[in-house]
Amino acid sequence: MTLQIEQLHHSFGKKKILSNISFTIENGEFVSILGPSGSGKSTLFHLIGGILKPEQGKIRLNDWDITNENGHLSYMPQNPSLFPWRTVLQNAMLGSELAGKADETKAIELLQKANLGEMIHAYPNQLSGGMKQRVAFVRALLSPQSLICLDEPFSALDSFTKKEMQQWLLKTWEAYDKSILFITHDIEEALFLSDHVILLSINPATVKASIKVPFKRPRDEQLYLSEEFLQWKRKIVEALKE
Ligand code: ADP
Ligand code: MG
């Protein structure tokens, strides 16, 4: 799987939001888009997901032009959007069910790994925010698409839950051959999770820098406290100021 974003431009009315955005996601890579609120990250997501049509530019998946087509990527919006009338298990299986590949055993196994083993027959209104995010992510992992797109999935969580969720996400993802495109405005989160960080400017958003993150995997919370981590954080803060 390779996803290529080629010279995307987008405006709302007369306001230019995205200007000449290009980057590539290689197979199995974890790529973050890091930019301030209002910079156009969700807009970029909607373009990649085929929900919006770009003013200019192309999106290619394995060299196929998928601009303005949806269904090629597994897309997880900021709000986990679980169906209230479906149980946790039924929600987790939705993507694979739609693809005609529902596998209940595997879904239960993944939910157990997500510490949701006790909750598989519960309904979304019985879950905390972090639990809902885990169900949505399990659903994305079980879906057949090889690229998962997540739009600020942890931004509504408190900082403890957020760190737990980041580690859980990495651990779960490392066992899968999937690529991730992760949107965030949190510098530490982008650094901790990613192989690659794409820095966006604002008004309009352009790619300010593309940073290759050198930390080895598996990563754990010790990384947050390391000198190396702080140095990279400083680098990004500087790059964002320029
Ligand atoms: P981010 O996700 O980085 O916070 P968004 O992509 O949501 O940013 O929004 C970028 C800019 O585009 C904001 O100024 C927002 O108000 C504007 N915007 C987003 N969606 C629309 C829309 N459908 N119509 C008009 N303006 C929009
Ligand atoms: Mg957004």
Side-chain angles (χ1 to χ4, degrees):
M1 189 279 350
T2 307
L3 185 83
Q4 285 166 289
I5 310 300
E6 294 175 8
Q7 298 169 0
L8 279 194
H9 291 261
H10 201 70
S11 305
F12 288 118
K14 284 195 181 138
K15 192 172 176 212
K16 182 116 189 161
I17 306 290
L18 302 174
S19 177
N20 201 26
I21 305 284
S22 301
F23 61 91
T24 302
I25 303 172
E26 303 290 355
N27 197 39
E29 251 191 337
F30 198 124
V31 176
S32 288
I33 307 285
L34 176 64
S37 289
S39 54
K41 302 183 298 298
S42 292
T43 303
L44 178 57
F45 240 46
H46 295 148
L47 294 170
I48 294 172
I51 295 162
L52 268 179
K53 184 174 162 37
E55 193 174 290
Q56 212 181 303
K58 288 261 178 285
I59 296 146
R60 284 183 222 277
L61 184 65
N62 302 328
D63 290 330
W64 279 86
D65 187 352
I66 61 157
T67 318
N68 206 26
E69 289 180 12
N70 54 35
H72 296 283
L73 323 166
S74 172
Y75 181 90
M76 186 174 145
Q78 191 160 346
N79 175 336
S81 69
L82 304 175
F83 288 115
W85 61 86
R86 287 188 146 230
T87 63
V88 164
L89 180 60
Q90 288 166 341
N91 266 291
M93 296 204 338
L94 189 68
S96 48
E97 208 174 287
L98 290 174
K101 288 180 186 159
D103 181 343
E104 192 175 292
T105 316
K106 189 148 181 223
I108 292 173
E109 188 193 314
L110 260 176
L111 287 168
Q112 281 166 345
K113 281 192 189 146
N115 279 334
L116 291 164
E118 310 269 282
M119 302 301 273
I120 58 173
H121 300 301
Y123 287 88
N125 65 4
Q126 297 167 266
L127 308 179
S128 69
M131 287 173 165
K132 285 182 195 165
Q133 291 291 359
R134 294 203 293 271
V135 177
F137 187 66
V138 166
R139 176 175 63 192
L141 273 179
L142 290 167
S143 300
Q145 295 91 339
S146 47
L147 177 66
I148 301 178
C149 298
L150 305 113
D151 191 356
E152 305 210 30
F154 306 147
S155 63
L157 305 177
D158 65 79
S159 66
F160 295 102
T161 314
K162 187 173 180 174
K163 285 210 165 61
E164 274 172 29
M165 288 291 295
Q166 290 166 355
Q167 287 174 47
W168 174 79
L169 174 70
L170 281 190
K171 214 171 86 216
T172 315
W173 166 72
E174 275 158 6
Y176 275 76
D177 185 29
K178 301 239 182 193
S179 311
I180 291 189
L181 178 62
F182 190 97
I183 297 243
T184 181
H185 60 253
D186 180 335
I187 298 176
E188 289 199 331
E189 178 168 71
L191 268 177
F192 181 72
L193 296 173
S194 319
D195 298 309
H196 230 123
V197 179
I198 314 283
L199 282 189
L200 291 188
S201 62
I202 186 167
N203 293 327
T206 57
V207 175
K208 247 188 167 168
S210 167
I211 293 166
K212 200 158 167 28
V213 182
F215 312 134
K216 61 180 192 304
R217 297 187 187 275
R219 297 177 185 171
D220 60 36
E221 72 244 76
Q222 291 305 317
L223 178 60
Y224 268 118
L225 304 170
S226 68
E227 201 49 50
E228 202 190 4
F229 191 83
L230 269 176
Q231 277 168 12
W232 279 92
K233 192 176 155 184
R234 238 176 257 134
K235 240 181 235 187
I236 292 185
V237 172
E238 292 303 321
L240 280 170
K241 270 195 219 145
E242 272 163 29

